[in-house]
Amino acid sequence: MITEIIRSYKTGAGKAQEELQSPKIVVKGSNHKISVLKTISWRIIGTIDTMIISYILTGNFTVALGIGGIEVVSKMILYYLHERAWNKITKE
């Protein structure tokens, strides 16, 4: 069954060309909930990056974890405020 779905998606069977787009994740809820989810997912990526860079620069895993721990909290707050400000600015 799953191969049939994939095959029909690739060939476009039964769909108009404009409907053939990449699958999208739809999050239902308020803009605040979406902003929080985006904040958390971005911080996971950013914090891993910060810890890797910190480890490369210091050679100390404990220091890298400490820097990542402080950074994850401060930047989640800053990102959320940034996201909400942009939503307010671009609101029609």
Side-chain angles (χ1 to χ4, degrees):
M1 177 170 178
I2 212 65
T3 54
E4 285 298 317
I5 293 169
I6 292 169
R7 191 176 304 120
S8 66
Y9 181 78
K10 285 182 179 178
T11 61
K15 291 192 174 197
Q17 188 63 28
E18 61 271 3
E19 291 178 9
L20 293 175
Q21 297 176 356
S22 299
K24 294 186 177 44
I25 296 172
V26 177
V27 180
K28 294 187 178 187
S30 70
N31 285 335
H32 293 284
K33 287 180 184 177
I34 293 168
S35 293
V36 169
L37 289 173
K38 287 170 67 177
T39 300
I40 292 168
S41 66
W42 178 246
R43 276 317 335 134
I44 290 169
I45 294 167
T47 299
I48 290 170
D49 178 59
T50 297
M51 288 190 293
I52 290 170
I53 292 169
S54 298
Y55 179 73
I56 290 169
L57 293 175
T58 66
N60 187 322
F61 188 69
T62 305
V63 170
L65 285 176
I67 293 169
I70 293 167
E71 181 260 4
V72 71
V73 173
S74 67
K75 288 191 178 170
M76 280 179 69
I77 294 167
L78 290 172
Y79 178 83
Y80 179 81
L81 295 172
H82 178 260
E83 176 77 12
R84 298 311 306 156
W86 270 102
N87 281 343
K88 195 171 213 173
I89 291 166
T90 59
K91 190 175 183 178
E92 295 180 18

